[in-house]
Structure formats: structure tokens, C-alpha cells
Amino acid sequence: MNAQILSGPAIAEEIKNELQPRIEALKAKGIIPSLTVILVGDDPASQVYVNNKHNTFIKMGLSSQVERFPSDLSEKALCQRIQALNQDPSVHGILVQLPLPKHINPQKVIATIDPNKDVDGFHVANAGALMIGQPKFIPCTPYGIMKMIEKTNVTVRGAEAVVIGASNIVGKPIALLLQAAGATVTICNSKTKDLAAHTKRADILVVAVGKPKMITGDMIKPNSVVIDVGINRGEDGKLCGDVDEETAKEVAGYITPVPGGVGVMTITMLLVNTIEAAEKTLTTF
Ligand code: NAP
């Protein structure tokens, strides 16, 4: 058996087409959705992510600014810049690219972003809103994962969902979204005993760990949906996920490839959140 591939670019294209009328409606009112990304330091992976986001926004006819700062920027200076962007009505979304240099506290920086412009959905107000089932901005990667699961024939309500990884940006929010959709959710972490016992009963398995190919076909329930969030370099130097695609696709019903899976969806949902932030400015006043 060969799993159906859940193609990130194909699903992203559908979502982008659906966004066009919303962009046109905003433009008709003189509003161009605008994102400002702040990049501190010269982490090579962050440079790639930021460039991809910028290019996607420009291609969609939206406004995108990238503000680059040296790695010795002070936390105070960074927070002051965010406060200025909070006050600027032409900026609808603010994103601080993580990770930040070690001397800067990311929680403090994220807390400085106006929750109405927090298109990453990481501010504690947005995390709390998600937790009580009234999300405002859903973090982009989990949001994209839910859109991918919608493309399968698996009913989330009543399904067994297992999430491996409990980070604030992927594991915890995807667990909340799956739970809100009616799944019975288990969250595994590095201390989990007998990981395979959990993964083998998952109708929906989300893997967000950061360990190349750690989930193999023998750990997967037949016909399940396998979402691979990991972005790693394998021993051969090639990009790979946390799931061993070769063996997993023999067992799963659906699988997301790496590359060509969740990563593309993350940027697409950033478009969605930024457009939503721009639309909200029309209803706030
Ligand atoms: P993270 O903050 O490093 O968290 C990793 C999680 O995995 C932690 O909860 C950790 O457990 C758990 N873990 C580590 N080893 C484990 C093991 N052997 N068994 C079970 N759980 C284990 O990672 P993250 O930021 O969520 O990112 C995870 C991966 O997704 C990375 O490869 C990252 O590059 C990728 N990512 C991709 C996208 C995308 O758009 N495609 C977006 C974000 C992240 P503890 O809590 O016990 O430490």
C-alpha cells in the first residue's frame, strides 16, 4: 500500500486562490495587508525562512518589510522598535523571527507585540484565546496542519490523535486544535515511555520533534494520517522530516512529505492571518 501524499504546495495554492477576493476587497478600500518581519542576527535557516515569507507576500501583491538587526541588538532596543510598529497604522502584522540571540528573552519580546498584530499567534493573549476555544490568531504551523487534515477522509471528531512534541509553537497548539475538533489527544515528549505504543494507535499522528526519521513505518497505524512537521538535514545532507517517509508511506493512509509538506502551509497561513489582521482594522473603528 502507498499512502496518499498531502501536497503542501497544492493545498496552499487552493487557499491562496480563496484569498484573492479578500485581498481585492481590502484594496478597494485602500488597504494593502502589510507584514513587518524583524530578523536579529545572521542565523542561516532564519534568513531562508524570512526570505521565503517576504517573496510569498510580494508575489501575492501584499506589502512586506524585513527589518534586519545585528546580533548584538539590545532587548530594550528591539522592544522599542516593536512598540513603534504597534503604533504604526500601516503595519497590520508583526513577526519576530525566532530563535533570537541568547541575551534576548523571546517571551518578553513576544509580549511586547500588540496582540491584534501578532500574526504568529504566539502572544500569551492569543495562546490563551486558543486555549479557551476562542482563537483570534492561530499559530501558522498548527493552522496549516489542520487545513491539511481537512483534505483527508478522516473524521477528526472521535479520532485518536497523537502529537509528538510539546513546543509552544507546534505541539501544544496543534493538540488544542485537534481537541477542539473533537479528537482524543495524547501529547508525547522526550520522557514518554514506549513511544511506539502511543503512535501505533494514532488515527492522526503529528510529529514535531526535530529528529531525522525517528518515526518509522513499524510505529504507525495502518491507514492513519501522518503529519511530519520536522525540518532536518539527514546524514546524506538532504532535507528530511522526523518521519522515515520510505517506510511510513507503506503503512499510512496519508502522509505529508518533507520538503513539500507542512513548511509551505506555514507561510500560507501567515498570509491568512495578516489578511485577517488587516480586515480587523475595518471593524475596530
Ligand atoms: P522544540 O521546541 O525543540 O520541541 C521539541 C519537542 O520534541 C519537545 O517537546 C521535546 O520534548 C520533544 N522530543 C524531543 N525528543 C523526543 C523524543 N525522543 N521522543 C518524543 N518527544 C521528543 O521543537 P519545535 O520548535 O516544535 O520544532 C520541531 C520540529 O519542527 C523541528 O524540526 C523544527 O525545525 C520543525 N518546525 C517546522 C515548521 C514548519 O513550518 N514545517 C515550523 C516549526 C517547527 P520535551 O518537551 O520533553 O523537551
Side-chain angles (χ1 to χ4, degrees), residues 47-117:
Q47 307 266 4
V48 174
Y49 296 147
V50 166
N51 287 340
N52 287 346
K53 285 168 191 168
H54 177 74
N55 293 336
T56 305
F57 270 67
I58 298 301
K59 263 192 204 153
M60 285 292 285
L62 308 190
S63 169
S64 163
Q65 287 77 39
V66 179
E67 298 194 358
R68 296 169 199 271
F69 295 98
S71 54
D72 61 357
L73 180 78
S74 72
E75 184 180 278
K76 189 175 173 197
L78 176 56
C79 289
Q80 281 172 343
R81 182 60 197 140
I82 292 169
Q83 279 157 355
L85 292 169
N86 285 344
Q87 299 304 318
D88 183 343
S90 71
V91 175
H92 303 110
I94 303 168
L95 184 155
V96 178
Q97 185 65 41
L98 301 177
L100 286 165
K102 290 212 170 357
H103 67 279
I104 300 178
N105 177 347
Q107 288 311 327
K108 193 169 171 192
V109 170
I110 291 165
T112 309
I113 300 172
D114 178 346
N116 293 313
K117 297 189 178 191

Side-chain angles (χ1 to χ4, degrees), residues 141 164-167 169-170 189-191 208-211 229-231 263 266:
T141 302
I164 314 182
S167 70
I169 63 170
V170 188
N189 59 37
S190 63
K191 323 287 184 306
V209 174
K211 298 225 160 102
V229 187
I231 301 176
T266 297

